[in-house]
Every structure is written in structure tokens, then in C-alpha cells.
Amino acid sequence: IHWKKVLAAFFTVVLIGSIQLFYWKYITNSWIFYSYEEQGFSWFKPHIKKVLVSYKKGWLIYTPIMLLALIGFRTLYRRNKQLFPFCLSFFLVNFYIVSAWDVWGYGGAFGQRALIESYTILAFPMAALLTNIQKKQWRKWLVVSFALFSVWLNIFQTWQAHGHGFEVEAMTKAYYWRIFANTNPTNLDRKLLDTKEDYQGKRKNVQQIYLNEFEENNDNNLYTQKQAKSGVSALWINKDIAFTKPLLVNVLAKAPNWIRVSGDFYLVNKEWDVWKMTQLIVEFKKEDKTIKKRIVRVQRQLGESAWQKNWTDMRIPFEDFDTISIYFWNAGSHKEIYIDDLRVETYEAE
């Protein structure tokens, strides 16, 4: 054993690691300080599937090239039985710890940043696989093609994440595939961050079953004449409004299979905090029971200082219902929003 090198490495680790201790002591007057507050580990309920393949932060979704490392464990076992148990045990233990952390998305990062440190170990099974595929030409080209695709995908999605539609914190399956390899996603596509229902085809048998121009203040909501798309007044949501009173729409029996709720919106200043955005809430109800509910953050798709049309589509549920309840929730924003010409239409999809 090279004791001098081992001791040098040990003292280097201690020296670097002590920086955090001295910082805690300086800031909190304590050598050890737990800065994550209520966050911790769920040892008996690790988020394995979410960490591995979720569209929000799934490791193999956003770093598919690491599939080669996982497949390579089989080759590593056959080619190097001494190295195999060390690599596999390290990966399994590390992956379990990463998955057990309650905030399994690890903040505003692309994919699973908590697994990057383990790539040094995962390089061994990947190398074993790449060495083994040299024996058969078709395997080599298959793996090379997959690797090139994975590299292209990471570069393209990194470009998307810098102002071209990619959402690193709230990605959903529907939105992921809407913008996949798409260089020009629209703001309207962003509604799929809240719902997976968004009809893109031609509508048939369109029937308007409700229209509110917010001219007669008979529903106890706050109307204003500061802004109006049509007429003289509009629905007004400001910092003092938490919920608007529900607008109730009665639906005839045997309605078509889709419904669209649309309106004209005016933002004085855009709310960028997703947790404070105004939410359009649509509920299908049977008396007091909610049959189906959809929540869409309207500011996701809107700019500011201009009237803009926005809408959300929903499949009409098979269960019996008698009323559609529509209301808005201001989730804490101090920024005003005006709404006019709220429409409800039923239609059939081609």
C-alpha cells in the first residue's frame, strides 16, 4: 500500500470537506447544521420509478445513453467477475439513496443530476459492453446509432431548455411529446403542462352553450371598466380576490364528446411564479359531487399588455352530470388579470 499517497488523499478530503463545516460555524455558530429543514429520506418508499423513467426527471428519459451502462452489467459479469460485484453494489446502493430523497427531482436541473457522480463507476459496465459489441458488426452499428441519437437528443433538449419551450421542473408526458424535436413550440402548447387533453383537429357540430360578456354584475364577481375586450366591463382578478364565484352552465343530455372553455385575457404584468399563477378551474358536477375536474394555469400561455384568446379542451365524462362549474383561483399573485367574453362550446372530434 502506498501509505504516503493514501494519507495525502485522506488529508485532502478532510481539508476540502472542512470548508462546509467552517461555513456552517460562521453562519449559524454551529459546526453541523441541517439546512434542508423538513426535507428528508423515505427509506421504505423510495421514488424508484419516478427517478428512473418519469417524464418530469426520469434518468433514462433524459439520459438514455446510460441504458448502455445498465445493459453492460451482464457483459461485465462475464468478463470481469472481480469488478462486477463492486460496481453493481455501488450502483444499487447509490441509486436507492438517491431515490429515497423526498425531493427526488433535485431542483431546477435537466434530468437526474444526483446520479452524475456515479458515472465514473458506470463507465466500467459501459466499457465492457462497447468492447464486446466489436465481435458482431450489426451490434456495433446498432449501439453506435443509439449513442449518436442519445447525444443529439441531449444537445437538442439542452437548447430547448434555454428559452425554446422545454420545461425542466413541470414536464409532463403530453407536453414532452408535443415539443419532442420541435424547434418552434407555441405558448398554447404549454397548457399540456397542466392537462393531457388538448384537441388539435377540426371541430364538428360546434354548439355554443354559454356566453358571459361580464356586462351585468349579477353573480357577485368583481367587474371593472378599466379594461374590456367588448362592451364596457370585464371580470377583474386582483390581489384581493382568492376565488371568483362559480359560473354554472347547464348541459343538455347527449352532448357531444368534447367541450371547450375559452375567453379573452388581459395581463397588466405577467406572473412568472408558476405557484402563484391564476388557475382556470372547470368541474363537471352531479349535484354536489365532482365527476371530473381540470385545472389550467392561464398565464403559462399568455403575454402581457394585450388582449389574447385562450382556451382549454376537455373530454366530456361518461358519468352522468348536470352542471359545469367554471371559476378562477388567484393562487397568491398580486398582478391583475382581466377576463372577457367567456364561452363554453361543445363539439365532436373528427
Side-chain angles (χ1 to χ4, degrees):
I1 299 176
H2 300 276
W3 288 110
K4 291 183 179 180
K5 295 180 180 179
V6 171
L7 289 174
F10 173 78
F11 284 113
T12 300
V13 170
V14 171
L15 183 63
I16 295 174
S18 65
I19 296 175
Q20 182 70 67
L21 299 178
F22 281 107
Y23 177 77
W24 279 333
K25 182 64 176 177
Y26 175 74
I27 296 296
T28 69
N29 199 34
S30 175
W31 289 106
I32 301 294
F33 179 75
Y34 190 73
S35 58
Y36 291 98
E37 299 180 347
E38 301 298 323
Q39 299 175 18
F41 291 93
S42 297
W43 296 113
F44 297 104
K45 292 183 178 180
H47 310 280
I48 293 176
K49 184 177 179 180
K50 292 179 180 178
V51 171
L52 198 62
V53 292
S54 73
Y55 280 89
K56 181 179 179 180
K57 293 282 186 173
W59 182 44
L60 298 181
I61 296 293
Y62 294 104
T63 317
I65 199 170
M66 296 312 295
L67 272 170
L68 301 180
L70 298 184
I71 297 172
F73 272 112
R74 181 171 179 269
T75 308
L76 183 65
Y77 173 76
R78 292 185 304 183
R79 297 175 64 91
N80 195 327
K81 289 184 172 57
Q82 291 181 324
L83 191 58
F84 170 80
F86 165 75
C87 292
L88 182 63
S89 59
F90 174 87
F91 170 72
L92 293 177
V93 172
N94 181 69
F95 185 82
Y96 172 71
I97 294 173
V98 169
S99 300
W101 182 247
D102 288 333
V103 189
W104 58 271
Y106 292 92
F110 182 85
Q112 276 296 323
R113 68 175 185 179
L115 290 172
I116 293 175
E117 290 83 353
S118 63
Y119 290 179
T120 303
I121 302 301
L122 291 173
F124 289 104
M126 182 179 286
L129 176 68
L130 295 178
T131 302
N132 190 57
I133 63 170
Q134 303 297 326
K135 299 177 181 179
K136 291 188 178 181
Q137 197 74 2
W138 69 269
R139 288 183 181 178
K140 181 172 69 173
W141 288 113
L142 179 64
V143 170
V144 168
S145 298
F146 176 74
L148 291 174
F149 167 77
S150 299
V151 171
W152 168 84
L153 182 65
N154 279 166
I155 293 174
F156 181 77
Q157 290 183 337
T158 300
W159 173 81
Q160 282 186 312
H162 288 78
H164 300 280
F166 197 89
E167 178 61 55
V168 297
E169 274 298 291
M171 183 63 75
T172 64
K173 179 180 179 180
Y175 185 64
Y176 179 89
W177 288 111
R178 175 66 61 82
I179 68 168
F180 186 82
N182 186 349
T183 59
N184 190 32
T186 67
N187 282 336
L188 290 176
D189 292 329
R190 296 181 65 82
K191 70 183 66 175
L192 291 177
L193 293 169
D194 294 315
T195 175
K196 62 182 179 181
E197 296 180 316
D198 181 37
Y199 184 67
Q200 294 280 296
K202 185 177 180 180
R203 298 188 299 159
K204 298 191 304 181
N205 300 327
V206 179
Q207 301 178 49
Q208 180 175 289
I209 61 173
Y210 179 82
L211 171 63
N212 194 329
E213 297 177 316
F214 302 111
E215 297 300 319
E216 298 180 9
N217 196 350
N218 56 8
D219 54 21
N220 296 324
N221 283 312
L222 181 61
Y223 289 11
T224 181
Q225 296 183 2
K226 287 184 177 182
Q227 292 283 350
K229 180 66 166 58
S230 64
V232 296
S233 63
L235 179 65
W236 183 26
I237 299 176
N238 57 36
K239 63 182 179 61
D240 298 319
I241 303 296
F243 289 92
T244 62
K245 185 177 179 181
L247 306 170
L248 303 179
V249 182
N250 295 319
V251 180
L252 298 176
K254 296 182 180 179
N257 53 3
W258 282 86
I259 191 169
R260 172 170 291 182
V261 179
S262 64
D264 293 297
F265 297 81
Y266 187 99
L267 309 183
V268 178
N269 298 110
K270 185 178 177 71
E271 177 60 69
W272 293 98
D273 186 343
V274 67
W275 300 110
K276 293 183 179 180
M277 288 182 176
T278 302
Q279 299 178 18
L280 165 63
I281 303 173
V282 182
E283 291 185 78
F284 291 86
K285 306 190 76 170
K286 178 69 174 180
E287 297 177 351
D288 293 329
K289 180 183 178 183
T290 298
I291 305 299
K292 183 176 181 178
K293 184 177 182 179
R294 182 69 67 236
I295 298 174
V296 176
R297 293 172 173 84
V298 296
Q299 282 109 330
R300 284 195 194 274
Q301 303 100 47
L302 300 176
E304 58 186 23
S305 301
W307 281 101
Q308 300 157 85
K309 186 172 290 294
N310 193 19
W311 64 86
T312 182
D313 296 297
M314 295 176 64
R315 289 184 180 273
I316 294 177
F318 293 109
E319 296 90 340
D320 289 336
F321 65 93
D322 50 35
T323 305
I324 301 174
S325 176
I326 303 170
Y327 56 99
F328 294 89
W329 174 34
N330 176 17
S333 176
H334 286 196
K335 298 177 181 178
E336 298 175 337
I337 181 171
Y338 302 92
I339 303 151
D340 207 354
D341 297 342
L342 187 72
R343 288 182 171 82
V344 179
E345 298 170 320
T346 60
Y347 64 92
E348 295 178 359
E350 281 193 339

